[in-house]
């Protein structure tokens, strides 16, 4: 599903964010990216989504060479990839329902599809009763659920999560992890960057550890350290 | 497809509304600049029509009698061909004269219907070697005495004045208009830029979930195009006011005694209006396209 072959990324000012990284992630895997701040986790994720382009090496996602892909194809790549963030990136003036529907509307999905898919996904994330709330009327955990709903409503092959529990308390984080686990069990490949030791140690999934842009460890059913 | 259309329309108007003060400024600037473009075109057309027969150096016209004989006609042509005082001439036969008459009086169909090509006088439009008015008057007088000649008309000073005046006015208007059209394009660019800024978050999410670049751009480009079109639509009534008031004033002044009554036909005003709408739309589209490509890297 995802394949990195000696991928390097250097930002302006000679900042090496990823150095000679190779890895292969199978369909349906759940992978934690761990490592200290600045070790290149976010860069790893942004390369998969073509928010950044690798300077060296080859990166394929769902069989497509992401680096070589012409820019007009990028939106179609992104439709296969859900993406969630530490800060949720919800639109403050839209309701929960509208935020989720927006994700389908702007990729041209017909209205009947939106009318059936959005309530279904809100049910899945447990927010059916809060569909008409605005984001700032929700708790952090609920906001993250909305963002997961938006990322997953189009049934992507891959879900990227960049420190999704970074702003949440431990109890709430557990709820979010349950949801991501459930999504993963439905066949979606999940790649999640995190700082959260206890989550990684509890879940016992594959762990890729980055250290100053270098993959230092890659083990299945790993722990944080 | 329908839901997409609805999306574009909704997003465009929400954005127009949010940005109301800049939107109004952009629209009014377009309206003013296009009114000037239109006025310039109308004044030029009006003057051209009023002086249609005296252009490109033609200083006088020899009208033959409709029933002039071939010999009489040949004698005139002989003089024109051989006299060193004549630089050149064009011959307007009955059919051409009739066509011209139809065009000039297209607003007055009953007048056009009252004549036929057969009764139109053929004429020679003559460019003299020396356009000095004393000289022209003397040559014209000589032609007037030839057999078969019905009448000789000379370009009066008044006509030259009208031409001169209309050239100056329409050029000045056009220069001002071009500058203002540029200003409108910049204002539209700025308005669309502001609209893009106001929706940065939405654009970010759209890119994230895989909206295509065109899908993101289209509402902004529509917004700019609508500024241009509304501005142009406001300029259209202004055009009719110019047609009514200003051109009517010229018609009634004593400056053009020969050609009083020549107006710009309504058809021309409508054609000009369509041009203004096209210019408005294009200016708006270009302004917003520049904003979209420069400030929104999608
Ligand atoms: N857009 C950028 N421009 C320049 N340097 C960047 C940029 N993004 C990240 N970096 C640098 O690249 C390195 C890796 O950053 P990042 O991938 O964000 O790591 P992490 O997510 O593990 O904290 C850091 O040194 C960071 O400062
Ligand atoms: Mg990061």
């Amino acid at each position: 599903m995802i394949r990195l072959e000696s991928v390097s990324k250097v930002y302006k000012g000679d900042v090496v964010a990823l150095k000679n990284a190779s890895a292969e992630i199978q369909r349906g895997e759940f992978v934690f990216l761990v490592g200290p701040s600045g070790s290149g986790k976010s860069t790893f994720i942004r390369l998969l989504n073509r928010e950044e382009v690798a300077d060296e090496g080859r990166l394929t996602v769902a069989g497509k060479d992401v680096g070589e892909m012409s820019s007009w194809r990028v939106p179609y790549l992104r439709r296969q990839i859900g993406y969630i963030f530490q800060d949720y990136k919800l639109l403050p003036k839209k309701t929960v329902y509208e935020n989720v529907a927006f994700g389908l509307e702007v990729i041209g999905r017909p209205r009947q599809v939106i009318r059936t898919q959005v309530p279904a996904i809100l049910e899945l994330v447990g927010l059916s009763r809060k569909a008409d709330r605005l984001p700032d009327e929700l708790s952090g955990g609920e906001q993250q659920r909305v963002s997961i709903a938006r990322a997953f409503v189009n049934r992507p092959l891959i879900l990227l999560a960049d420190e999704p529990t970074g702003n949440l308390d431990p109890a709430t984080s557990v709820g979010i992890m349950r949801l991501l686990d459930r999504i993963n069990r439905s066949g979606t490949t999940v790649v999640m960057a995190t700082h959260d030791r206890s989550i990684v140690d509890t879940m016992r999934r594959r762990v890729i550890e980055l250290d100053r842009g270098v993959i230092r460890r890659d083990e299945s059913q790993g722990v944080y350290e | 497809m329908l839901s997409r259309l609805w999306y574009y329309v909704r997003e465009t108007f929400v954005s127009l509304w949010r940005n109301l003060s800049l939107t109004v400024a952009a629209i009014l600037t377009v309206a003013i600049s296009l009114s000037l473009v239109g006025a310039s075109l109308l004044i030029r057309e009006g003057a051209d029509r009023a002086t249609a027969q005296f252009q490109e150096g033609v200083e006088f016209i020899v009208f033959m009698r409709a029933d002039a004989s071939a010999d009489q006609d040949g004698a005139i042509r002989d003089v024109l061909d051989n006299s060193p005082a004549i630089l050149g001439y064009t011959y307007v036969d009955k059919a051409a004269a009739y066509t011209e008459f139809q065009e000039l009086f297209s607003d007055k169909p009953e007048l056009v219907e009252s004549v036929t090509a057969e009764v139109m006088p053929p004429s020679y439009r003559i460019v003299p070697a020396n356009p000095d008015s004393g000289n022209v008057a003397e040559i014209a007088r000589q032609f007037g005495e030839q057999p078969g000649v019905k009448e000789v008309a000379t370009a009066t000073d008044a006509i030259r004045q009208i031409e001169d005046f209309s050239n100056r006015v329409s050029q000045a208007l056009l220069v001002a208009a071009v500058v203002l059209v540029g200003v409108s394009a910049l204002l539209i660019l700025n308005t669309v830029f502001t609209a893009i800024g106001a929706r940065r978050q939405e654009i970010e999410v759209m890119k994230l979930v895989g909206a295509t670049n065109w899908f993101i751009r289209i509402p902004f480009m529509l917004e700019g195009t609508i500024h241009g079109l509304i501005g142009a639509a406001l300029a259209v009534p202004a055009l009719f006011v110019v047609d009514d008031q200003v051109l009517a004033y010229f018609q009634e002044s004593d400056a053009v005694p020969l050609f009083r009554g020549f107006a710009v036909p309504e058809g021309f005003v409508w054609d000009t209006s369509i041009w203004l709408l096209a210019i408005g739309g294009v200016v708006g589209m270009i302004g917003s396209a520049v904003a979209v490509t420069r400030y929104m890297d999608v």
Side-chain angles (χ1 to χ4, degrees):
Chain A
M1 179 64 44
I2 296 167
R3 186 194 188 93
L4 288 84
E5 295 168 67
S6 311
V7 171
S8 296
K9 174 70 193 175
V10 183
Y11 288 112
K12 271 185 236 103
D14 285 340
V15 183
V16 179
L18 214 55
K19 197 165 159 188
N20 209 19
S22 296
E24 184 159 3
I25 297 171
Q26 305 297 335
R27 170 181 287 253
E29 270 197 278
F30 195 120
V31 180
F32 285 117
L33 291 175
V34 302
S37 218
S39 58
K41 305 184 295 294
S42 295
T43 301
F44 190 112
I45 284 180
R46 285 204 298 266
L47 285 170
L48 298 181
N49 196 35
R50 235 303 271 259
E51 268 182 273
E52 298 287 352
V53 182
D55 298 305
E56 278 169 47
R58 220 166 98 93
L59 170 62
T60 49
V61 173
K64 307 249 165 47
D65 187 324
V66 174
E68 296 293 304
M69 183 178 285
S70 52
S71 59
W72 70 266
R73 282 185 193 275
V74 172
Y76 301 95
L77 169 75
R78 292 185 182 163
R79 290 177 194 191
Q80 302 188 310
I81 301 178
Y83 198 166
I84 62 177
F85 304 86
Q86 184 167 359
D87 58 358
Y88 325 127
K89 297 198 194 297
L90 300 177
L91 300 173
K93 285 181 190 147
K94 291 190 190 289
T95 64
V96 166
Y97 182 96
E98 288 165 346
N99 263 284
V100 177
F102 188 73
L104 290 175
E105 197 176 23
V106 301
I107 58 172
R109 286 295 136 94
R111 253 188 278 182
Q112 303 94 287
V113 172
I114 296 175
R115 268 201 290 266
T116 56
Q117 292 293 311
V118 176
I121 202 82
L122 288 178
E123 179 78 41
L124 178 80
V125 303
L127 283 176
S128 294
R129 292 192 302 140
K130 301 199 169 170
D132 295 329
R133 301 280 185 89
L134 291 172
D136 65 9
E137 297 166 350
L138 302 177
S139 71
E142 288 169 335
Q143 291 186 47
Q144 190 60 290
R145 285 170 186 274
V146 178
S147 104
I148 292 172
R150 182 179 65 196
F152 195 58
V153 69
N154 192 34
R155 309 287 157 168
L157 298 170
I158 299 170
L159 189 68
L160 304 177
D162 195 348
E163 312 214 19
T165 59
N167 284 342
L168 303 176
D169 60 64
T172 311
S173 299
V174 169
I176 294 296
M177 290 316 296
R178 285 224 182 90
L179 185 54
L180 291 181
D181 188 46
R182 208 165 138 199
I183 285 172
N184 173 242
R185 284 179 199 281
S186 74
T188 307
T189 310
V190 178
V191 179
M192 168 169 161
T194 187
H195 265 126
D196 194 324
R197 175 186 302 267
S198 68
I199 284 176
V200 176
D201 292 348
T202 323
M203 299 267 297
R204 298 304 299 256
R205 295 303 186 91
R206 179 172 171 186
V207 173
I208 295 177
E209 182 182 341
L210 288 166
D211 182 15
R212 276 163 288 175
V214 178
I215 295 183
R216 217 181 63 184
R217 179 164 61 103
D218 181 351
E219 43 185 44
S220 53
Q221 301 182 342
V223 292
Y224 192 80
E225 219 165 20
Chain B
M1 200 56 231
L2 209 67
S3 69
R4 180 170 298 200
L5 208 66
W6 166 239
Y7 169 87
Y8 290 142
V9 170
R10 190 189 66 197
E11 293 303 304
T12 304
F13 280 92
V14 165
S15 192
L16 282 172
W17 183 249
R18 266 193 211 159
N19 236 331
L20 202 58
S21 60
L22 264 175
T23 299
V24 169
I27 288 175
L28 287 182
T29 319
V30 173
I32 291 169
S33 55
L34 291 185
S35 300
L36 294 183
V37 171
S40 162
L41 293 174
L42 284 192
I43 288 175
R44 176 163 300 209
E45 178 71 10
D48 280 357
R49 281 171 174 271
T51 61
Q53 294 162 313
F54 292 99
Q55 282 171 4
E56 292 169 6
V58 171
E59 293 291 343
F60 67 101
I61 303 175
V62 174
F63 289 98
M64 304 301 291
R65 298 164 58 96
D67 58 1
S69 71
D71 280 353
Q72 292 169 336
D73 193 60
I76 297 290
R77 199 178 285 257
D78 211 42
V79 176
L80 288 173
D81 284 337
N82 297 315
S83 164
I86 305 301
L87 201 62
Y89 68 93
T90 48
Y91 179 64
V92 179
D93 65 15
K94 289 182 177 194
Y98 184 63
T99 310
E100 196 172 74
F101 186 85
Q102 280 176 312
E103 276 170 18
L104 286 174
F105 293 99
S106 58
D107 262 9
K108 302 189 172 64
E110 54 314 327
L111 189 58
V112 174
E113 269 163 37
S114 70
V115 299
T116 61
E118 214 28 61
V119 306
M120 298 303 297
S123 61
Y124 291 94
R125 294 190 180 165
I126 298 163
V127 182
N130 173 5
D132 173 77
S133 62
N135 177 55
V136 169
E138 174 56 22
I139 310 177
R141 192 187 57 75
Q142 290 169 13
F143 273 103
E145 289 166 354
Q146 300 295 314
V149 171
K150 181 179 175 228
E151 185 186 353
V152 180
T154 55
T156 61
D157 286 345
I159 282 172
R160 292 298 171 226
Q161 271 169 18
I162 276 282
E163 273 184 351
D164 202 45
F165 175 76
S166 94
N167 278 342
R168 274 173 218 231
V169 171
S170 67
Q171 265 163 27
L173 284 181
L174 206 60
V175 168
V178 165
V179 171
L180 277 175
V181 167
V183 172
S184 346
L186 286 177
L187 254 173
I188 290 174
L189 187 149
N190 219 287
T191 312
V192 173
F193 178 40
T194 308
I196 291 171
R199 322 190 67 176
R200 198 166 292 133
Q201 275 180 310
E202 271 154 85
I203 293 172
E204 188 188 358
V205 172
M206 286 164 98
K207 288 190 197 178
L208 198 72
V209 299
T212 58
N213 293 344
W214 278 111
F215 189 90
I216 300 174
R217 283 174 184 155
I218 281 174
F220 295 111
M221 296 200 47
L222 275 181
E223 189 175 341
T225 309
I226 285 174
H227 291 147
L229 288 177
I230 296 180
L234 292 178
V236 169
L239 211 54
F240 280 89
V241 171
V242 169
D243 185 42
D244 267 16
Q245 304 291 314
V246 181
L247 295 184
Y249 169 80
F250 285 132
Q251 283 168 35
E252 277 154 27
S253 80
D254 290 333
V256 232
L258 265 177
F259 300 101
R260 189 182 298 172
F262 284 172
V264 176
E266 204 151 278
F268 181 83
V269 186
W270 281 118
D271 286 353
T272 309
S273 305
I274 289 168
W275 274 107
L276 294 189
L277 284 170
I279 296 173
V282 168
V283 166
M285 208 185 307
I286 290 175
S288 50
V290 171
V292 162
T293 41
R294 277 206 44 201
Y295 298 111
M296 186 163 73
D297 88 88
V298 296

